[in-house]
Amino acid sequence: MVGYDPKKINLSTQEQAFVTTSSAILTRGLIQPFDVLKIRYQVQYEPISKKSQFSKYKTLGQSFSTIIKEEGLFALWKGHLTGQLLSISFSAHLLWFETLTRQAFTLWPSLVETEDKKFAAHFICGGIAASLTLVTNQPIDTIRTRLVTQGEPRIYQGVLDAVKKVYTNEGLKGFYRGTVPNLMLITPETASKLGIYQFLNSLWDYAMRIDSSNNTKNISVFQSSINGSLSGIIAKTIVYPFDLSKKRLQIQGFEDARKQFGKVVEFSGLWNCLYKSVKNEGLLGIYKGFLPSVLKAALSSGLTFFFYEQLTNFVGNLNYS
């Protein structure tokens, strides 16, 4: 299971690292096209609508076909290398989560007595784990966003070229554009996702009358997929405006590569971005790209927990046998 539980069989640090990294790689490869489309939607200031003659992207089907027609099928995996690096590096939050929950339950054994206390512990540990991981992730996320949102001809010819040009033109701070909204996004989203996932698993066990104290009980494929998807959808809905703001701030100073995609708007910071977005595009403007994003969140969260639980079960069963 995700996180430490004194009532369960727990994996070693090396085994946890293998499980989290493998889960991240498998999930990223499958959900990358939705991530590309979500980012394109987020940085398009024109409406996502069939009725808008000025919009490049109007519907899911039209958007996918436009990208494939203009840039080729593999454009749906633009930024995939940095996406994989981001996923692998961010998977460290599960290791942090394991360590923090282990410490919390060891120092305060009473936390496992009730589901309310366990949910609070998982929520807080999840938020701290995400914040610790964010420091190393932000530069990778910025480079990925630049690679995904550039058109043709390309400004950046690859990851190393992007790193060199961002540093030369914008300095070190260029890699950390959008850090504030990212912190406000990742911390509550991860905390909510991990807390809700554990809570849903407890409800599942109660509804199915499963003995949750059984330390050899494995979480099923169906349970991990459903609860993982639901936790991802709920968490993403809560923090989505910060996700949009983060992407829009990350492409500041990158206007030349985006002119073919539509209007370019400058922002001075997080609150200015949210204010201008609502003022110019309406309240729904800060939820632009929400459909592909929530589809991605459901798939990503569901697949991550699915692969994580099944790999954990596999490794645990090897040890147990």
Side-chain angles (χ1 to χ4, degrees), residues 219-272:
I219 294 178
S220 69
V221 171
F222 187 66
Q223 179 181 348
S224 59
S225 300
I226 294 298
N227 291 345
S229 296
L230 286 174
S231 65
I233 291 171
I234 294 169
K236 177 60 70 176
T237 303
I238 294 170
V239 301
Y240 188 78
F242 294 112
D243 191 13
L244 178 134
S245 300
K246 178 189 75 170
K247 295 304 180 192
R248 292 190 171 185
L249 288 171
Q250 284 178 326
I251 62 170
Q252 298 292 290
F254 181 56
E255 288 77 12
D256 288 342
R258 294 204 62 262
K259 288 180 179 178
Q260 62 175 295
F261 293 123
K263 185 169 57 176
V264 173
V265 181
E266 293 185 3
F267 306 108
S268 60
L270 170 60
W271 302 115
N272 180 253

Short mmCIF file of all heavy atoms in Angstrom, two decimals, residues 219-272:
data_model
loop_
_atom_site.label_atom_id
_atom_site.label_comp_id
_atom_site.label_asym_id
_atom_site.label_seq_id
_atom_site.Cartn_x
_atom_site.Cartn_y
_atom_site.Cartn_z
N ILE A 219 -4.29 -4.97 -2.11
CA ILE A 219 -5.29 -4.10 -2.72
C ILE A 219 -5.48 -4.53 -4.16
O ILE A 219 -4.52 -4.66 -4.92
CB ILE A 219 -4.85 -2.63 -2.64
CG1 ILE A 219 -4.80 -2.19 -1.17
CG2 ILE A 219 -5.78 -1.72 -3.43
CD1 ILE A 219 -4.32 -0.78 -0.96
N SER A 220 -6.73 -4.76 -4.55
CA SER A 220 -7.03 -5.31 -5.88
C SER A 220 -6.78 -4.30 -6.98
O SER A 220 -6.67 -3.09 -6.74
CB SER A 220 -8.48 -5.78 -5.93
OG SER A 220 -9.36 -4.66 -5.90
N VAL A 221 -6.69 -4.82 -8.22
CA VAL A 221 -6.53 -3.97 -9.40
C VAL A 221 -7.68 -2.98 -9.50
O VAL A 221 -7.48 -1.78 -9.73
CB VAL A 221 -6.46 -4.85 -10.67
CG1 VAL A 221 -6.51 -3.97 -11.93
CG2 VAL A 221 -5.21 -5.71 -10.67
N PHE A 222 -8.89 -3.48 -9.34
CA PHE A 222 -10.08 -2.63 -9.47
C PHE A 222 -10.11 -1.55 -8.39
O PHE A 222 -10.35 -0.37 -8.67
CB PHE A 222 -11.34 -3.50 -9.36
CG PHE A 222 -12.61 -2.76 -9.64
CD1 PHE A 222 -12.89 -2.25 -10.91
CD2 PHE A 222 -13.56 -2.57 -8.64
CE1 PHE A 222 -14.06 -1.58 -11.17
CE2 PHE A 222 -14.74 -1.90 -8.88
CZ PHE A 222 -14.99 -1.40 -10.15
N GLN A 223 -9.82 -1.92 -7.16
CA GLN A 223 -9.85 -0.97 -6.05
C GLN A 223 -8.81 0.13 -6.23
O GLN A 223 -9.11 1.32 -6.08
CB GLN A 223 -9.59 -1.69 -4.72
CG GLN A 223 -9.58 -0.76 -3.50
CD GLN A 223 -9.31 -1.51 -2.21
OE1 GLN A 223 -9.35 -2.74 -2.17
NE2 GLN A 223 -9.03 -0.78 -1.15
N SER A 224 -7.57 -0.23 -6.54
CA SER A 224 -6.51 0.78 -6.68
C SER A 224 -6.78 1.69 -7.87
O SER A 224 -6.51 2.90 -7.82
CB SER A 224 -5.15 0.10 -6.84
OG SER A 224 -5.12 -0.75 -7.97
N SER A 225 -7.34 1.15 -8.97
CA SER A 225 -7.62 1.97 -10.15
C SER A 225 -8.76 2.95 -9.90
O SER A 225 -8.65 4.15 -10.22
CB SER A 225 -8.00 1.06 -11.34
OG SER A 225 -6.95 0.18 -11.66
N ILE A 226 -9.86 2.48 -9.31
CA ILE A 226 -11.02 3.33 -9.05
C ILE A 226 -10.70 4.40 -8.01
O ILE A 226 -10.93 5.60 -8.23
CB ILE A 226 -12.23 2.50 -8.58
CG1 ILE A 226 -12.72 1.57 -9.71
CG2 ILE A 226 -13.37 3.41 -8.13
CD1 ILE A 226 -13.20 2.29 -10.95
N ASN A 227 -10.16 4.00 -6.88
CA ASN A 227 -9.86 4.95 -5.81
C ASN A 227 -8.75 5.91 -6.21
O ASN A 227 -8.77 7.09 -5.85
CB ASN A 227 -9.48 4.21 -4.52
CG ASN A 227 -10.66 3.48 -3.91
OD1 ASN A 227 -11.81 3.73 -4.28
ND2 ASN A 227 -10.40 2.57 -2.99
N GLY A 228 -7.79 5.41 -6.98
CA GLY A 228 -6.71 6.29 -7.47
C GLY A 228 -7.25 7.35 -8.42
O GLY A 228 -6.88 8.52 -8.34
N SER A 229 -8.12 6.94 -9.33
CA SER A 229 -8.71 7.89 -10.29
C SER A 229 -9.57 8.94 -9.59
O SER A 229 -9.49 10.14 -9.89
CB SER A 229 -9.56 7.14 -11.32
OG SER A 229 -8.76 6.27 -12.10
N LEU A 230 -10.41 8.50 -8.66
CA LEU A 230 -11.28 9.43 -7.93
C LEU A 230 -10.46 10.43 -7.12
O LEU A 230 -10.76 11.64 -7.10
CB LEU A 230 -12.21 8.66 -6.99
CG LEU A 230 -13.37 7.91 -7.66
CD1 LEU A 230 -14.11 7.07 -6.63
CD2 LEU A 230 -14.32 8.88 -8.34
N SER A 231 -9.42 9.98 -6.45
CA SER A 231 -8.59 10.88 -5.66
C SER A 231 -7.88 11.89 -6.55
O SER A 231 -7.74 13.06 -6.19
CB SER A 231 -7.55 10.09 -4.84
OG SER A 231 -6.63 9.42 -5.68
N GLY A 232 -7.45 11.46 -7.74
CA GLY A 232 -6.80 12.37 -8.68
C GLY A 232 -7.75 13.44 -9.21
O GLY A 232 -7.39 14.61 -9.32
N ILE A 233 -8.99 13.05 -9.54
CA ILE A 233 -9.98 14.00 -10.06
C ILE A 233 -10.33 15.05 -9.00
O ILE A 233 -10.37 16.25 -9.28
CB ILE A 233 -11.26 13.25 -10.50
CG1 ILE A 233 -10.96 12.41 -11.75
CG2 ILE A 233 -12.39 14.23 -10.78
CD1 ILE A 233 -12.09 11.46 -12.13
N ILE A 234 -10.59 14.60 -7.77
CA ILE A 234 -10.98 15.52 -6.70
C ILE A 234 -9.84 16.50 -6.40
O ILE A 234 -10.06 17.71 -6.29
CB ILE A 234 -11.34 14.73 -5.42
CG1 ILE A 234 -12.60 13.89 -5.67
CG2 ILE A 234 -11.58 15.68 -4.25
CD1 ILE A 234 -12.89 12.87 -4.57
N ALA A 235 -8.62 15.98 -6.29
CA ALA A 235 -7.48 16.84 -5.97
C ALA A 235 -7.20 17.84 -7.08
O ALA A 235 -6.95 19.03 -6.82
CB ALA A 235 -6.23 15.98 -5.72
N LYS A 236 -7.27 17.41 -8.34
CA LYS A 236 -7.01 18.31 -9.47
C LYS A 236 -8.05 19.42 -9.55
O LYS A 236 -7.73 20.58 -9.85
CB LYS A 236 -6.98 17.52 -10.77
CG LYS A 236 -6.79 18.36 -12.03
CD LYS A 236 -5.50 19.14 -12.00
CE LYS A 236 -4.29 18.27 -12.14
NZ LYS A 236 -3.03 19.06 -12.21
N THR A 237 -9.30 19.10 -9.30
CA THR A 237 -10.38 20.11 -9.35
C THR A 237 -10.14 21.21 -8.32
O THR A 237 -10.38 22.40 -8.61
CB THR A 237 -11.74 19.44 -9.08
OG1 THR A 237 -11.95 18.40 -10.05
CG2 THR A 237 -12.87 20.45 -9.19
N ILE A 238 -9.66 20.85 -7.15
CA ILE A 238 -9.44 21.82 -6.07
C ILE A 238 -8.37 22.85 -6.44
O ILE A 238 -8.53 24.04 -6.18
CB ILE A 238 -9.03 21.09 -4.77
CG1 ILE A 238 -10.20 20.22 -4.26
CG2 ILE A 238 -8.61 22.08 -3.69
CD1 ILE A 238 -9.82 19.29 -3.12
N VAL A 239 -7.29 22.40 -7.09
CA VAL A 239 -6.13 23.28 -7.27
C VAL A 239 -5.92 23.73 -8.72
O VAL A 239 -4.93 24.40 -9.02
CB VAL A 239 -4.84 22.58 -6.78
CG1 VAL A 239 -4.97 22.21 -5.31
CG2 VAL A 239 -4.56 21.33 -7.61
N TYR A 240 -6.84 23.41 -9.62
CA TYR A 240 -6.58 23.63 -11.04
C TYR A 240 -6.18 25.06 -11.43
O TYR A 240 -5.28 25.23 -12.26
CB TYR A 240 -7.79 23.20 -11.89
CG TYR A 240 -7.48 23.23 -13.36
CD1 TYR A 240 -6.73 22.21 -13.95
CD2 TYR A 240 -7.86 24.31 -14.16
CE1 TYR A 240 -6.40 22.25 -15.29
CE2 TYR A 240 -7.53 24.35 -15.51
CZ TYR A 240 -6.80 23.32 -16.06
OH TYR A 240 -6.45 23.36 -17.38
N PRO A 241 -6.81 26.12 -10.90
CA PRO A 241 -6.40 27.48 -11.29
C PRO A 241 -4.91 27.76 -11.09
O PRO A 241 -4.30 28.51 -11.87
CB PRO A 241 -7.27 28.38 -10.41
CG PRO A 241 -8.49 27.56 -10.16
CD PRO A 241 -7.98 26.15 -10.01
N PHE A 242 -4.30 27.15 -10.08
CA PHE A 242 -2.88 27.35 -9.84
C PHE A 242 -2.05 26.62 -10.89
O PHE A 242 -0.95 27.05 -11.24
CB PHE A 242 -2.50 26.88 -8.44
CG PHE A 242 -3.12 27.69 -7.34
CD1 PHE A 242 -4.08 27.15 -6.52
CD2 PHE A 242 -2.76 29.02 -7.16
CE1 PHE A 242 -4.67 27.90 -5.52
CE2 PHE A 242 -3.34 29.78 -6.16
CZ PHE A 242 -4.30 29.23 -5.34
N ASP A 243 -2.56 25.50 -11.40
CA ASP A 243 -1.88 24.77 -12.47
C ASP A 243 -1.84 25.62 -13.73
O ASP A 243 -0.81 25.73 -14.40
CB ASP A 243 -2.61 23.44 -12.73
CG ASP A 243 -1.83 22.51 -13.64
OD1 ASP A 243 -0.63 22.77 -13.86
OD2 ASP A 243 -2.41 21.52 -14.12
N LEU A 244 -2.97 26.22 -14.08
CA LEU A 244 -3.04 27.08 -15.25
C LEU A 244 -2.09 28.27 -15.10
O LEU A 244 -1.36 28.62 -16.03
CB LEU A 244 -4.47 27.57 -15.46
CG LEU A 244 -4.67 28.53 -16.64
CD1 LEU A 244 -5.90 28.13 -17.46
CD2 LEU A 244 -4.86 29.96 -16.16
N SER A 245 -2.09 28.91 -13.93
CA SER A 245 -1.22 30.06 -13.69
C SER A 245 0.24 29.68 -13.81
O SER A 245 1.05 30.42 -14.37
CB SER A 245 -1.49 30.64 -12.30
OG SER A 245 -2.83 31.07 -12.19
N LYS A 246 0.58 28.50 -13.29
CA LYS A 246 1.97 28.05 -13.35
C LYS A 246 2.44 27.94 -14.79
O LYS A 246 3.53 28.43 -15.13
CB LYS A 246 2.09 26.68 -12.67
CG LYS A 246 3.50 26.10 -12.72
CD LYS A 246 3.52 24.67 -12.22
CE LYS A 246 2.93 23.71 -13.24
NZ LYS A 246 3.15 22.29 -12.89
N LYS A 247 1.63 27.33 -15.66
CA LYS A 247 2.01 27.16 -17.05
C LYS A 247 2.14 28.50 -17.76
O LYS A 247 3.06 28.72 -18.54
CB LYS A 247 0.98 26.29 -17.78
CG LYS A 247 0.89 24.87 -17.28
CD LYS A 247 2.23 24.18 -17.33
CE LYS A 247 2.13 22.76 -16.81
NZ LYS A 247 3.46 22.16 -16.60
N ARG A 248 1.23 29.43 -17.48
CA ARG A 248 1.28 30.72 -18.15
C ARG A 248 2.49 31.54 -17.70
O ARG A 248 3.06 32.29 -18.49
CB ARG A 248 -0.02 31.48 -17.89
CG ARG A 248 -1.20 30.82 -18.60
CD ARG A 248 -2.45 31.65 -18.58
NE ARG A 248 -3.46 31.05 -19.46
CZ ARG A 248 -4.64 31.60 -19.73
NH1 ARG A 248 -4.97 32.76 -19.17
NH2 ARG A 248 -5.48 31.01 -20.55
N LEU A 249 2.89 31.38 -16.47
CA LEU A 249 4.06 32.09 -15.99
C LEU A 249 5.35 31.45 -16.50
O LEU A 249 6.35 32.14 -16.73
CB LEU A 249 4.07 32.11 -14.45
CG LEU A 249 3.02 33.03 -13.80
CD1 LEU A 249 2.98 32.79 -12.30
CD2 LEU A 249 3.31 34.49 -14.09
N GLN A 250 5.33 30.14 -16.70
CA GLN A 250 6.53 29.45 -17.16
C GLN A 250 6.91 29.80 -18.59
O GLN A 250 8.07 29.65 -18.98
CB GLN A 250 6.34 27.93 -17.04
CG GLN A 250 6.45 27.40 -15.62
CD GLN A 250 6.23 25.91 -15.54
OE1 GLN A 250 5.43 25.35 -16.28
NE2 GLN A 250 6.92 25.25 -14.63
N ILE A 251 5.95 30.27 -19.39
CA ILE A 251 6.27 30.61 -20.78
C ILE A 251 6.53 32.10 -20.98
O ILE A 251 6.68 32.57 -22.10
CB ILE A 251 5.13 30.17 -21.74
CG1 ILE A 251 3.83 30.89 -21.41
CG2 ILE A 251 4.97 28.66 -21.70
CD1 ILE A 251 2.75 30.68 -22.46
N GLN A 252 6.59 32.87 -19.89
CA GLN A 252 6.95 34.28 -20.00
C GLN A 252 8.40 34.37 -20.50
O GLN A 252 9.28 33.65 -20.06
CB GLN A 252 6.82 34.97 -18.65
CG GLN A 252 5.41 34.98 -18.08
CD GLN A 252 4.45 35.85 -18.89
OE1 GLN A 252 4.54 37.07 -18.89
NE2 GLN A 252 3.53 35.21 -19.59
N GLY A 253 8.65 35.27 -21.46
CA GLY A 253 9.96 35.38 -22.06
C GLY A 253 10.18 34.37 -23.16
O GLY A 253 11.31 34.18 -23.65
N PHE A 254 9.12 33.74 -23.60
CA PHE A 254 9.19 32.66 -24.58
C PHE A 254 8.19 32.91 -25.70
O PHE A 254 7.70 32.01 -26.35
CB PHE A 254 8.85 31.35 -23.82
CG PHE A 254 8.90 30.09 -24.65
CD1 PHE A 254 10.03 29.73 -25.35
CD2 PHE A 254 7.80 29.25 -24.71
CE1 PHE A 254 10.07 28.56 -26.08
CE2 PHE A 254 7.83 28.08 -25.43
CZ PHE A 254 8.98 27.74 -26.12
N GLU A 255 7.89 34.20 -25.93
CA GLU A 255 6.78 34.57 -26.82
C GLU A 255 7.02 34.23 -28.29
O GLU A 255 6.10 33.87 -29.02
CB GLU A 255 6.47 36.06 -26.69
CG GLU A 255 5.81 36.45 -25.37
CD GLU A 255 6.80 36.51 -24.20
OE1 GLU A 255 8.02 36.47 -24.47
OE2 GLU A 255 6.35 36.59 -23.05
N ASP A 256 8.28 34.34 -28.76
CA ASP A 256 8.56 34.15 -30.19
C ASP A 256 8.16 32.77 -30.69
O ASP A 256 7.72 32.61 -31.84
CB ASP A 256 10.06 34.36 -30.46
CG ASP A 256 10.45 35.83 -30.36
OD1 ASP A 256 9.53 36.68 -30.42
OD2 ASP A 256 11.65 36.13 -30.21
N ALA A 257 8.32 31.77 -29.85
CA ALA A 257 8.02 30.39 -30.27
C ALA A 257 6.52 30.09 -30.21
O ALA A 257 6.09 29.03 -30.63
CB ALA A 257 8.78 29.40 -29.39
N ARG A 258 5.73 31.04 -29.70
CA ARG A 258 4.31 30.78 -29.49
C ARG A 258 3.38 31.64 -30.36
O ARG A 258 2.17 31.55 -30.26
CB ARG A 258 3.94 31.02 -28.03
CG ARG A 258 4.56 30.06 -27.05
CD ARG A 258 3.74 29.98 -25.80
NE ARG A 258 2.41 29.47 -26.09
CZ ARG A 258 1.33 30.24 -26.24
NH1 ARG A 258 1.40 31.54 -26.15
NH2 ARG A 258 0.17 29.68 -26.49
N LYS A 259 3.93 32.51 -31.19
CA LYS A 259 3.11 33.46 -31.94
C LYS A 259 2.08 32.77 -32.82
O LYS A 259 0.97 33.28 -33.01
CB LYS A 259 4.02 34.37 -32.77
CG LYS A 259 4.78 35.38 -31.92
CD LYS A 259 5.67 36.27 -32.78
CE LYS A 259 6.40 37.29 -31.91
NZ LYS A 259 7.32 38.14 -32.71
N GLN A 260 2.42 31.61 -33.36
CA GLN A 260 1.49 30.92 -34.25
C GLN A 260 0.31 30.31 -33.51
O GLN A 260 -0.68 29.94 -34.11
CB GLN A 260 2.22 29.82 -35.02
CG GLN A 260 2.80 28.74 -34.12
CD GLN A 260 3.41 27.61 -34.92
OE1 GLN A 260 2.70 26.89 -35.63
NE2 GLN A 260 4.71 27.46 -34.82
N PHE A 261 0.41 30.23 -32.17
CA PHE A 261 -0.67 29.63 -31.39
C PHE A 261 -1.71 30.64 -30.94
O PHE A 261 -2.74 30.27 -30.39
CB PHE A 261 -0.09 28.92 -30.15
CG PHE A 261 0.74 27.72 -30.50
CD1 PHE A 261 2.06 27.62 -30.07
CD2 PHE A 261 0.23 26.69 -31.27
CE1 PHE A 261 2.83 26.52 -30.39
CE2 PHE A 261 1.00 25.59 -31.59
CZ PHE A 261 2.30 25.51 -31.15
N GLY A 262 -1.45 31.93 -31.13
CA GLY A 262 -2.44 32.93 -30.74
C GLY A 262 -1.84 34.08 -29.95
O GLY A 262 -0.63 34.29 -29.93
N LYS A 263 -2.70 34.83 -29.28
CA LYS A 263 -2.32 36.04 -28.55
C LYS A 263 -1.33 35.73 -27.43
O LYS A 263 -1.38 34.69 -26.79
CB LYS A 263 -3.59 36.67 -27.97
CG LYS A 263 -3.37 37.98 -27.27
CD LYS A 263 -4.71 38.67 -26.97
CE LYS A 263 -5.63 37.81 -26.15
NZ LYS A 263 -6.87 38.53 -25.78
N VAL A 264 -0.43 36.70 -27.19
CA VAL A 264 0.55 36.59 -26.13
C VAL A 264 0.25 37.64 -25.06
O VAL A 264 0.04 38.80 -25.38
CB VAL A 264 1.99 36.78 -26.66
CG1 VAL A 264 2.99 36.82 -25.51
CG2 VAL A 264 2.34 35.68 -27.64
N VAL A 265 0.19 37.23 -23.81
CA VAL A 265 -0.12 38.13 -22.70
C VAL A 265 0.99 38.05 -21.66
O VAL A 265 1.50 36.96 -21.38
CB VAL A 265 -1.48 37.76 -22.03
CG1 VAL A 265 -1.78 38.72 -20.89
CG2 VAL A 265 -2.61 37.79 -23.07
N GLU A 266 1.38 39.21 -21.10
CA GLU A 266 2.42 39.23 -20.09
C GLU A 266 1.81 39.36 -18.70
O GLU A 266 0.82 40.06 -18.50
CB GLU A 266 3.38 40.40 -20.34
CG GLU A 266 4.19 40.26 -21.62
CD GLU A 266 5.22 41.37 -21.76
OE1 GLU A 266 5.32 42.21 -20.83
OE2 GLU A 266 5.91 41.40 -22.80
N PHE A 267 2.42 38.68 -17.73
CA PHE A 267 1.95 38.72 -16.34
C PHE A 267 3.13 39.05 -15.43
O PHE A 267 4.27 38.66 -15.70
CB PHE A 267 1.37 37.36 -15.93
CG PHE A 267 0.29 36.85 -16.84
CD1 PHE A 267 0.52 35.78 -17.69
CD2 PHE A 267 -0.97 37.44 -16.86
CE1 PHE A 267 -0.47 35.30 -18.53
CE2 PHE A 267 -1.97 36.98 -17.69
CZ PHE A 267 -1.72 35.91 -18.54
N SER A 268 2.84 39.76 -14.35
CA SER A 268 3.90 40.16 -13.42
C SER A 268 4.04 39.17 -12.26
O SER A 268 5.01 39.24 -11.51
CB SER A 268 3.62 41.55 -12.86
OG SER A 268 2.38 41.58 -12.17
N GLY A 269 3.07 38.27 -12.09
CA GLY A 269 3.14 37.32 -11.00
C GLY A 269 1.87 36.49 -10.92
O GLY A 269 0.99 36.60 -11.78
N LEU A 270 1.76 35.68 -9.87
CA LEU A 270 0.64 34.76 -9.72
C LEU A 270 -0.70 35.47 -9.68
O LEU A 270 -1.61 35.15 -10.46
CB LEU A 270 0.82 33.95 -8.43
CG LEU A 270 -0.39 33.10 -7.99
CD1 LEU A 270 -0.76 32.09 -9.05
CD2 LEU A 270 -0.09 32.42 -6.66
N TRP A 271 -0.85 36.44 -8.77
CA TRP A 271 -2.16 37.08 -8.60
C TRP A 271 -2.52 37.93 -9.80
O TRP A 271 -3.68 38.04 -10.18
CB TRP A 271 -2.18 37.89 -7.30
CG TRP A 271 -1.87 37.06 -6.12
CD1 TRP A 271 -0.80 37.14 -5.29
CD2 TRP A 271 -2.63 35.93 -5.65
NE1 TRP A 271 -0.84 36.15 -4.33
CE2 TRP A 271 -1.95 35.40 -4.52
CE3 TRP A 271 -3.82 35.31 -6.06
CZ2 TRP A 271 -2.41 34.29 -3.81
CZ3 TRP A 271 -4.28 34.21 -5.37
CH2 TRP A 271 -3.59 33.72 -4.26
N ASN A 272 -1.50 38.53 -10.45
CA ASN A 272 -1.74 39.30 -11.67
C ASN A 272 -2.21 38.38 -12.79
O ASN A 272 -3.09 38.75 -13.58
CB ASN A 272 -0.46 40.03 -12.08
CG ASN A 272 -0.62 40.85 -13.35
OD1 ASN A 272 -0.12 40.48 -14.41
ND2 ASN A 272 -1.33 41.97 -13.25
#
